[in-house]
Amino acid sequence: MAAAARKRAQSATASRHKRKGMVLRLTVWAGMAIVLSSGVLASYWHLSDPKNFALRDIKVIGELRHLDAAQLQSAVAESVDGNFFTVDMQAVRARVRALPWVSQATVSRSWPRGLSIRVVEHLPVARWGGDGYINAFGELFRPGYGPDLKHLVRLYGRDRNAAQVIDMYRAAVRLVEPLGLTISSLGTDERQAWIVVFDDGGLRLALGRSDVLMRLRRFADVYPQLLADSSRRPERVDARYAQGMAVTWRMVATEDRAHTAALRKKQGGAA
């Protein structure tokens, strides 16, 4: 029995030592975790403090024709809330994207204290209404300011129909360009009727609201015949009729008849 008692005592002693060792290890681990957590937290507060790693360099990349680099940099600086690590990149991009003439914008960090802003400007290919433009991607934008671009064709209509007007313009160009005609404006009026005006003496073509392309093709087919008499030129053409069209004429001065003859010759060569 004495031997059994000694064995139980030894087992109890070993268990106590084991528990003490485990407690010691847990204490060490907990201490290390506290130290590491404190370090991580301190690093976080240090990196997130706007006074540390403050953004000082804003670089604008891209070919700017209508925008000013200083204007872009100022807009970005106003939208920055944070430092190099905490700045909201999406907010900065949205601010740049909202500027007039900006079509596309990307924002990236530039170590150690900078931002790089890559900008692509709208490239206007047509005017829209009285204050807007259509870019090369068919997007409508209104910059509010810019150069005189009156040499561009003027398209107009309801904003929600801009894509339809652009498609119609492209189709019209394919039909009338071989005739030597250049479109100066195209669009829909308040009744949604289509009207085309050409550079050629301000010739105005009314197409109505239905069968517009068919009526435009019919006009293109008969236009050479409208130039047969060099003493007069068509001023207004109403193609809204089911059969035929109505033409209003204007008399041509002697010096303009050579231009009419040149047009007829060009159409003959195209044919």
Side-chain angles (χ1 to χ4, degrees), residues 7-76:
K7 188 174 181 180
R8 286 195 299 271
Q10 291 172 352
S11 177
T13 300
S15 296
R16 285 196 298 272
H17 286 311
K18 186 176 181 180
R19 285 196 298 271
K20 287 180 179 179
M22 184 178 295
V23 170
L24 180 61
R25 285 194 296 273
L26 289 174
T27 301
V28 172
W29 290 342
M32 292 177 63
I34 292 172
V35 171
L36 289 174
S37 298
S38 298
V40 170
L41 187 60
S43 297
Y44 170 77
W45 286 114
H46 178 72
L47 294 177
S48 61
D49 188 342
K51 296 178 182 178
N52 299 321
F53 296 96
L55 292 169
R56 296 178 180 175
D57 180 30
I58 299 173
K59 184 178 181 181
V60 177
I61 304 170
E63 183 180 354
L64 303 183
R65 297 182 179 180
H66 307 291
L67 289 165
D68 180 70
Q71 176 192 17
L72 274 167
Q73 291 167 336
S74 176
V76 171

Side-chain angles (χ1 to χ4, degrees), residues 25 43 73 90 107 125 135 137 141 150 198 200 205 208 248 263 271:
R25 285 194 296 273
S43 297
Q73 291 167 336
Q90 291 301 319
V107 183
V125 296
N135 68 14
F137 300 103
F141 68 102
K150 290 184 178 179
F198 300 96
D200 184 32
L205 172 64
T248 301
L263 275 177

Side-chain angles (χ1 to χ4, degrees), residues 3 16 18 47 62 82 126 131 177 200 215 241 251 255-256:
R16 285 196 298 272
K18 186 176 181 180
L47 294 177
D131 61 349
E177 243 185 8
D200 184 32
R215 293 170 177 175
Y241 298 92
M251 301 310 295
E255 57 270 21
D256 291 335

Side-chain angles (χ1 to χ4, degrees), residues 210-229:
S210 61
D211 300 323
V212 178
L213 276 177
M214 181 192 72
R215 293 170 177 175
L216 184 59
R217 291 190 187 98
R218 189 168 64 197
F219 164 78
D221 289 340
V222 304
Y223 180 70
Q225 301 172 35
L226 301 181
L227 302 180
D229 185 349

Side-chain angles (χ1 to χ4, degrees), residues 181-233:
L181 290 172
T182 301
I183 298 172
S184 62
S185 69
L186 179 150
T188 56
D189 62 16
E190 64 278 1
R191 297 180 299 105
Q192 298 306 293
W194 291 87
I195 299 171
V196 185
V197 177
F198 300 96
D199 282 342
D200 184 32
L203 170 60
R204 181 183 177 92
L205 172 64
L207 295 170
R209 291 181 292 181
S210 61
D211 300 323
V212 178
L213 276 177
M214 181 192 72
R215 293 170 177 175
L216 184 59
R217 291 190 187 98
R218 189 168 64 197
F219 164 78
D221 289 340
V222 304
Y223 180 70
Q225 301 172 35
L226 301 181
L227 302 180
D229 185 349
S230 61
S231 67
R232 63 181 187 176
R233 298 287 292 277

